Coordinates of all heavy atoms in Angstrom, one line a residue:
M1258 N -3.5 -119.9 69.1 CA -3.7 -119.0 70.1 C -3.2 -117.6 69.7 O -2.2 -117.5 69.1 CB -3.0 -119.4 71.4 CG -3.7 -119.0 72.7 SD -2.8 -119.8 74.0 CE -3.8 -119.4 75.3
S1259 N -3.9 -116.6 70.0 CA -3.5 -115.2 69.6 C -2.3 -114.8 70.3 O -2.1 -114.9 71.5 CB -4.7 -114.3 70.0 OG -4.3 -112.9 69.8
R1260 N -1.3 -114.2 69.5 CA -0.1 -113.7 70.1 C -0.4 -112.5 71.0 O 0.2 -112.3 72.1 CB 0.9 -113.2 69.0 CG 1.6 -114.4 68.4 CD 2.5 -114.0 67.3 NE 1.7 -113.7 66.1 CZ 2.1 -112.9 65.2 NH1 3.2 -112.2 65.3 NH2 1.4 -112.7 64.1
I1261 N -1.3 -111.6 70.6 CA -1.7 -110.5 71.4 C -2.4 -110.9 72.7 O -2.2 -110.5 73.8 CB -2.5 -109.5 70.6 CG1 -1.7 -108.8 69.5 CG2 -3.1 -108.4 71.5 CD1 -2.5 -108.0 68.6
G1262 N -3.3 -111.9 72.5 CA -4.2 -112.3 73.6 C -3.4 -113.0 74.7 O -3.8 -113.0 75.9
K1263 N -2.3 -113.6 74.4 CA -1.5 -114.4 75.4 C -0.9 -113.4 76.4 O -0.6 -113.8 77.6 CB -0.3 -115.1 74.7 CG -0.7 -116.3 74.0 CD 0.6 -117.0 73.5 CE 0.3 -117.8 72.3 NZ 1.6 -118.3 71.7
K1264 N -0.6 -112.2 76.0 CA 0.1 -111.2 76.9 C -0.7 -110.8 78.1 O -1.9 -110.4 77.9 CB 0.5 -110.0 76.2 CG 1.5 -110.2 75.1 CD 1.8 -108.9 74.3 CE 2.7 -109.1 73.1 NZ 2.8 -107.9 72.3
P1265 N -0.2 -110.9 79.3 CA -1.0 -110.4 80.5 C -1.1 -108.9 80.5 O -0.2 -108.2 79.9 CB -0.2 -110.9 81.7 CG 1.1 -111.2 81.2 CD 1.0 -111.5 79.7
I1266 N -2.1 -108.3 81.0 CA -2.3 -106.9 81.1 C -2.0 -106.4 82.5 O -2.6 -106.9 83.4 CB -3.7 -106.5 80.7 CG1 -4.1 -107.1 79.4 CG2 -3.9 -105.0 80.6 CD1 -5.6 -107.2 79.2
S1267 N -1.0 -105.6 82.7 CA -0.7 -105.1 84.0 C -1.6 -104.0 84.4 O -1.9 -103.1 83.6 CB 0.8 -104.7 84.1 OG 1.0 -103.6 83.2
V1268 N -2.1 -104.0 85.6 CA -3.0 -103.0 86.1 C -2.3 -102.0 86.9 O -1.6 -102.3 87.8 CB -4.1 -103.7 87.0 CG1 -5.1 -102.6 87.5 CG2 -4.9 -104.7 86.2
P1269 N -2.4 -100.7 86.5 CA -1.7 -99.6 87.3 C -2.2 -99.6 88.8 O -3.3 -100.0 89.1 CB -2.0 -98.3 86.6 CG -2.4 -98.8 85.2 CD -3.0 -100.1 85.4
D1270 N -1.4 -99.0 89.6 CA -1.8 -98.9 91.1 C -3.0 -98.1 91.3 O -3.8 -98.4 92.2 CB -0.6 -98.3 91.9 CG 0.6 -99.1 91.8 OD1 0.5 -100.3 91.7 OD2 1.7 -98.6 92.0
K1271 N -3.3 -97.1 90.5 CA -4.4 -96.2 90.8 C -5.8 -96.7 90.3 O -6.8 -96.1 90.4 CB -4.2 -94.8 90.1 CG -2.9 -94.1 90.4 CD -2.7 -92.9 89.6 CE -1.5 -93.2 88.6 NZ -1.3 -92.2 87.6
V1272 N -5.7 -97.9 89.7 CA -6.9 -98.4 89.0 C -7.5 -99.6 89.8 O -6.8 -100.5 90.2 CB -6.6 -98.9 87.6 CG1 -7.8 -99.5 86.9 CG2 -6.1 -97.7 86.7
D1273 N -8.9 -99.6 90.0 CA -9.6 -100.7 90.6 C -10.3 -101.5 89.5 O -11.0 -100.9 88.7 CB -10.6 -100.1 91.6 CG -10.0 -99.4 92.8 OD1 -8.9 -99.8 93.1 OD2 -10.6 -98.5 93.3
V1274 N -10.2 -102.8 89.6 CA -10.8 -103.7 88.6 C -11.8 -104.6 89.3 O -11.4 -105.2 90.4 CB -9.7 -104.5 87.8 CG1 -10.4 -105.5 86.9 CG2 -8.8 -103.6 87.1
K1275 N -13.0 -104.8 88.7 CA -13.9 -105.7 89.3 C -14.4 -106.6 88.2 O -14.9 -106.1 87.1 CB -15.1 -104.9 89.9 CG -16.0 -105.8 90.7 CD -17.3 -105.0 91.2 CE -16.9 -103.8 92.0 NZ -18.2 -103.1 92.4
V1276 N -14.2 -107.9 88.4 CA -14.6 -108.9 87.3 C -15.8 -109.7 87.9 O -15.7 -110.3 88.9 CB -13.4 -109.8 87.0 CG1 -13.8 -110.9 86.0 CG2 -12.2 -109.0 86.5
E1277 N -16.9 -109.8 87.1 CA -18.0 -110.6 87.4 C -18.4 -111.4 86.2 O -19.1 -110.9 85.3 CB -19.2 -109.8 87.9 CG -18.9 -109.0 89.1 CD -20.0 -107.9 89.4 OE1 -20.9 -107.8 88.6 OE2 -19.9 -107.3 90.4
G1278 N -17.9 -112.6 86.0 CA -18.2 -113.4 84.8 C -17.5 -112.8 83.6 O -16.2 -112.6 83.6
L1279 N -18.2 -112.3 82.6 CA -17.6 -111.7 81.5 C -17.8 -110.1 81.6 O -17.4 -109.4 80.7 CB -18.3 -112.1 80.2 CG -17.9 -113.6 79.7 CD1 -18.7 -113.9 78.5 CD2 -16.4 -113.7 79.5
S1280 N -18.4 -109.7 82.7 CA -18.5 -108.2 82.9 C -17.2 -107.7 83.6 O -16.7 -108.3 84.5 CB -19.7 -107.9 83.8 OG -20.8 -107.8 83.0
L1281 N -16.8 -106.6 83.1 CA -15.6 -106.0 83.7 C -15.8 -104.5 84.0 O -16.4 -103.8 83.1 CB -14.4 -106.1 82.6 CG -13.1 -105.6 83.1 CD1 -12.5 -106.6 84.1 CD2 -12.2 -105.5 81.9
T1282 N -15.5 -104.0 85.2 CA -15.6 -102.6 85.6 C -14.3 -102.1 86.0 O -13.6 -102.8 86.8 CB -16.6 -102.5 86.8 OG1 -17.9 -103.1 86.4 CG2 -16.8 -101.0 87.1
V1283 N -13.9 -101.0 85.3 CA -12.5 -100.5 85.6 C -12.8 -99.0 86.0 O -13.4 -98.2 85.4 CB -11.7 -100.5 84.3 CG1 -10.4 -99.9 84.5 CG2 -11.6 -101.9 83.8
K1284 N -12.2 -98.7 87.2 CA -12.3 -97.4 87.8 C -11.0 -96.8 88.0 O -10.1 -97.4 88.7 CB -13.1 -97.4 89.1 CG -13.5 -96.1 89.7 CD -14.2 -96.2 91.0 CE -15.6 -96.8 90.8 NZ -16.4 -96.8 92.1
G1285 N -10.7 -95.6 87.5 CA -9.4 -95.0 87.6 C -9.5 -93.5 87.9 O -10.6 -93.0 88.1
P1286 N -8.4 -92.7 87.8 CA -8.5 -91.3 88.1 C -9.3 -90.5 87.1 O -9.9 -89.5 87.5 CB -7.0 -90.9 88.0 CG -6.2 -92.0 87.6 CD -7.1 -93.2 87.6
K1287 N -9.4 -90.9 85.9 CA -10.2 -90.2 84.8 C -11.7 -90.5 84.8 O -12.5 -89.8 84.3 CB -9.6 -90.5 83.4 CG -8.2 -90.0 83.2 CD -8.3 -88.6 82.6 CE -6.9 -88.2 82.3 NZ -6.8 -86.9 81.7
G1288 N -12.0 -91.7 85.4 CA -13.4 -92.1 85.4 C -13.6 -93.6 85.5 O -12.7 -94.3 85.9
E1289 N -14.8 -94.0 85.1 CA -15.2 -95.4 85.2 C -15.7 -96.0 83.9 O -16.5 -95.3 83.2 CB -16.2 -95.6 86.3 CG -16.6 -97.0 86.5 CD -17.7 -97.1 87.7 OE1 -17.7 -96.2 88.5 OE2 -18.4 -98.1 87.7
L1290 N -15.3 -97.2 83.5 CA -15.8 -97.8 82.3 C -16.3 -99.2 82.6 O -15.7 -99.9 83.4 CB -14.7 -97.9 81.2 CG -14.2 -96.6 80.5 CD1 -13.0 -96.9 79.7 CD2 -15.4 -96.0 79.7
R1291 N -17.4 -99.6 81.9 CA -17.9 -100.9 82.1 C -18.0 -101.6 80.7 O -18.4 -100.9 79.7 CB -19.3 -100.9 82.7 CG -19.3 -100.6 84.1 CD -20.7 -100.8 84.7 NE -20.8 -100.4 86.1 CZ -21.2 -99.3 86.5 NH1 -21.7 -98.4 85.6 NH2 -21.2 -99.0 87.8
R1292 N -17.8 -102.9 80.6 CA -17.9 -103.6 79.3 C -18.2 -105.0 79.6 O -17.6 -105.6 80.5 CB -16.7 -103.4 78.5 CG -16.7 -104.2 77.2 CD -15.6 -103.9 76.3 NE -16.3 -103.3 75.1 CZ -16.0 -102.2 74.5 NH1 -15.0 -101.5 75.0 NH2 -16.6 -101.8 73.4
T1293 N -19.0 -105.6 78.8 CA -19.2 -107.1 78.8 C -18.5 -107.6 77.6 O -18.8 -107.3 76.5 CB -20.7 -107.4 78.7 OG1 -21.4 -106.8 79.8 CG2 -20.9 -108.9 78.8
L1294 N -17.5 -108.5 77.9 CA -16.7 -109.1 76.8 C -17.5 -110.2 76.1 O -18.5 -110.7 76.6 CB -15.5 -109.7 77.4 CG -14.5 -108.7 78.1 CD1 -13.3 -109.4 78.6 CD2 -14.1 -107.6 77.1
P1295 N -17.2 -110.4 74.8 CA -17.9 -111.4 74.0 C -17.7 -112.8 74.6 O -16.7 -113.1 75.3 CB -17.3 -111.3 72.7 CG -16.0 -110.6 72.8 CD -16.1 -109.8 74.1
T1296 N -18.6 -113.7 74.3 CA -18.5 -115.1 74.8 C -17.4 -115.8 74.1 O -17.0 -115.4 73.0 CB -19.8 -115.9 74.5 OG1 -20.1 -115.8 73.1 CG2 -21.0 -115.3 75.3
G1297 N -16.9 -116.8 74.7 CA -15.8 -117.6 74.1 C -14.4 -117.3 74.8 O -13.4 -117.9 74.5
V1298 N -14.4 -116.4 75.8 CA -13.2 -116.1 76.5 C -13.5 -116.1 78.0 O -14.6 -116.0 78.5 CB -12.6 -114.8 76.1 CG1 -12.1 -114.8 74.7 CG2 -13.5 -113.6 76.4
T1299 N -12.4 -116.3 78.8 CA -12.5 -116.1 80.3 C -11.6 -115.1 80.8 O -10.5 -114.9 80.2 CB -12.2 -117.5 81.0 OG1 -10.9 -117.9 80.7 CG2 -13.2 -118.5 80.6
I1300 N -11.9 -114.4 81.9 CA -11.1 -113.3 82.4 C -10.6 -113.8 83.8 O -11.4 -114.3 84.6 CB -11.9 -112.0 82.6 CG1 -12.7 -111.7 81.4 CG2 -11.0 -110.9 83.0 CD1 -13.7 -110.5 81.6
S1301 N -9.3 -113.6 84.1 CA -8.8 -113.9 85.4 C -8.0 -112.7 85.9 O -7.2 -112.2 85.1 CB -8.0 -115.2 85.5 OG -6.9 -115.1 84.6
Y1302 N -8.3 -112.3 87.1 CA -7.6 -111.1 87.7 C -6.8 -111.5 88.9 O -7.4 -111.9 89.9 CB -8.6 -110.0 88.0 CG -8.0 -108.8 88.7 CD1 -7.0 -108.1 88.1 CD2 -8.6 -108.4 89.9 CE1 -6.5 -107.0 88.8 CE2 -8.1 -107.3 90.6 CZ -7.0 -106.6 90.0 OH -6.5 -105.5 90.6
K1303 N -5.5 -111.5 88.9 CA -4.7 -112.0 90.0 C -3.4 -111.1 90.1 O -2.8 -110.8 89.1 CB -4.2 -113.4 89.8 CG -5.3 -114.4 89.9 CD -4.8 -115.8 89.6 CE -5.9 -116.8 89.4 NZ -5.6 -117.9 88.6

């Protein structure tokens, strides 16, 4: 298992995150980014 991959990513208060399968939408004070992650991983946001 990847040492980097194991670490959870903390989401700042000003940022909205939307997860739909492997698609991720991140909206913050500077703008909005969308990305579809590669297959072989799962995303959980809690």
Side-chain angles (χ1 to χ4, degrees):
M1258 212 174 187
S1259 168
R1260 281 180 282 156
I1261 292 173
K1263 285 185 208 175
K1264 297 177 185 174
I1266 308 161
S1267 62
V1268 179
D1270 295 333
K1271 305 173 249 172
V1272 178
D1273 294 330
V1274 177
K1275 192 185 299 180
V1276 178
E1277 297 169 356
L1279 288 177
S1280 273
L1281 185 71
T1282 305
V1283 179
K1284 191 183 285 186
K1287 294 266 186 180
E1289 181 178 339
L1290 289 173
R1291 287 191 184 98
R1292 173 169 246 129
T1293 302
L1294 296 180
T1296 57
V1298 295
T1299 58
I1300 312 168
S1301 59
Y1302 175 56
K1303 294 176 191 154

